[in-house]
Structures are given as C-alpha cells and as structure tokens.
Amino acid sequence: MGASSGMGHEVAKRLLADGWLLGLAARRTAPFKALQEQYPEQVKTAEIDITHEDAPQRLTQLIDAVGGMDLYFHAAGIGYQNLKLEEGHELSTVETNATGFTRLIGAAYRWMSHHGGGHIAAISSIAGVRGLGVAPAYSATKAFQNVYLQALEQQARMRHLSIRFTDIRPGFVDTALLGDGSHYPMLMKAETVANNIVEALYAHRHKVIIDWRYRLLVKLWRCVPAWMWRRLNIHT
C-alpha cells in the first residue's frame, strides 16, 4: 500500500526481483506501468486511497486478484513541516497517517485473522519517539502508528493468531516526500534503506530503526528530560 513512489516503490522492486507476486496499490496507478511491463506475471494493481471508506473493500478485491496475502506492507503516508500550524496540513496528516493507517492495517489484520495469519509491516518513523515542534501532526501520528502496531501484536498473541508485525522506523530518506532533500541531515539513499527493510522483513524483525546513526539519535532523544525537550529548537 503506497507503492507508487518513495520507499514503497523501492521495496516493491526488490521483492519483485526476489520472485514475489505483488498486489500494488496507491492513489495513482500510472507509476506501476514500468513494473507491470518488467514483471507481467508478478504484478496486479489497484487504485486505493486510504482516506476513502471503500479502501478495505478495494484491498480485499486486490487480495482476491493476487490469490491471497502473506505480507501486507504499508508505506502510504504524508508529512509536513508546519511551524505555522496550518490547519489543512495538520488535518490531512491525521486523516492519512492515523485514520487511513488504522483503516488499512485493520483491514489486513482482520483478513489474516480469518485466513491463517500472515505478516503486517509498516513504515512509521523515528519521529514518533518525541513530539517535534517543527512537525506536530507528523510526529504525533507516527507515535500513534508505533503504539497501534505494538497493541495489535499483543492482541494477536492474546487471540493466538499467527500474525507477525514489523515496525520500520527510518530517519530522513531521499524521496519525494522530502522534496529537495539536500538540506536534511544524515540523509539516506532510498535504495540502501529499501535493502535494509527487505532484510528486516525476511528476518521477521519486530522493530527496526535504520541506520546506526538514527539508533544513536533515538537513544539520545529518549534520555532528554521533558523540561529540556521543551526548550530545544529542533529544525531540519
């Protein structure tokens, strides 16, 4: 889900190269044309907007077209730096990263609960570790995603469901989401991050922070007391 660009598209290319049969979904299906031409027997596509109420039904139709689902990979998301707290940016981020995320992750979870289990993976972010004043709705919705996946993982065990989860938390990746990403610190190449993600999927990692620099940064952030965090001027 969200495979038309960015990390979703990069991960799709690597899974196709490994022989996977994929159902690719996004609001725009035109970017899938090259993959369909290169892997005509491995690609099915669907136009799905996760902010629309019919998204779960469209996902089910795509699953049927593929012939089942072993892995649900969620890469759909948006984010803005929003120091002026523009209402439209905040609400659209919540609609996509919280409501849409819940809608599709839940649809995948319910399908797997009735079909013998599977693997749910999602790209969240290290931004969910602390509230970031430069991107309030983005960091808040990423924290929501982290906790929601954790809760579902616990629930699956409580219900004795064979559903695995992988919460993927990258830092800054050079994709269209960042626009001109040249000014971002510790910027990572999309191809490298995609390789790390696929490795984490195959290893059935519960949580992965990419890469070692961001793992150190997250540890540092967690150590900063609340009174100090309030006084920090974090910009990108």
Side-chain angles (χ1 to χ4, degrees):
M1 188 64 60
S4 62
S5 63
M7 295 314 307
H9 196 74
E10 290 297 325
V11 170
K13 289 194 293 186
R14 276 144 188 80
L15 292 178
L16 286 169
D18 286 349
W20 285 66
L21 173 61
L22 297 186
L24 305 180
R27 290 181 302 167
R28 299 175 296 112
T29 58
F32 298 148
K33 183 177 180 180
L35 292 179
Q36 285 181 302
E37 291 176 351
Q38 186 175 0
Y39 301 97
E41 302 300 320
Q42 294 174 237
V43 173
K44 304 292 183 181
T45 68
E47 181 180 323
I48 301 178
D49 187 331
I50 67 172
T51 66
H52 292 178
E53 292 185 358
D54 68 347
Q57 289 73 36
R58 289 177 176 265
L59 175 62
T60 299
Q61 292 170 0
L62 179 58
I63 295 170
D64 290 342
V66 174
M69 178 169 64
D70 298 307
L71 168 68
Y72 174 78
F73 188 84
H74 192 97
I78 60 173
Y80 304 95
Q81 293 193 42
N82 196 13
L83 281 171
K84 294 184 179 180
L85 207 67
E86 294 179 9
E87 181 181 13
H89 285 341
E90 295 297 279
L91 293 181
S92 62
T93 300
V94 171
E95 184 179 16
T96 299
N97 294 357
T99 304
F101 176 88
T102 304
R103 178 178 288 119
L104 271 298
I105 293 290
Y109 181 93
R110 288 186 289 274
W111 189 93
M112 290 180 181
S113 70
H114 291 100
H115 294 84
H119 188 176
I120 294 175
I123 297 179
S124 60
S125 173
I126 65 163
V129 173
R130 303 293 292 261
L132 299 175
V134 71
Y138 182 74
S139 58
T141 54
K142 291 303 176 178
F144 172 87
Q145 292 178 2
N146 298 157
V147 174
Y148 195 73
L149 292 173
Q150 184 182 61
L152 289 187
E153 189 166 29
Q154 183 186 74
Q155 185 187 110
R157 290 182 62 85
M158 291 167 60
R159 295 175 58 187
H160 306 290
L161 300 175
S162 183
I163 303 177
R164 298 184 299 272
F165 294 83
T166 300
D167 182 355
I168 302 157
R169 305 180 184 185
F172 294 127
V173 184
D174 189 9
T175 64
L177 180 65
L178 296 185
D180 178 13
S182 61
H183 67 284
Y184 285 85
M186 299 193 297
L187 191 66
M188 298 181 290
K189 293 183 178 180
E191 296 82 1
T192 301
V193 175
N195 288 335
N196 289 334
I197 289 173
V198 172
E199 289 176 5
L201 295 177
Y202 288 155
H204 298 156
R205 296 275 299 278
H206 295 276
K207 178 179 69 177
V208 57
I209 298 172
I210 305 170
D211 60 10
W212 67 269
R213 297 168 298 172
Y214 284 103
R215 289 192 286 272
L216 289 176
L217 180 63
V218 166
K219 288 182 179 179
L220 176 62
W221 280 3
R222 293 188 187 279
C223 292
V224 176
W227 66 267
M228 184 181 293
W229 187 264
R230 288 193 294 269
R231 290 164 171 77
L232 292 178
N233 291 318
I234 297 178
H235 294 274
T236 59

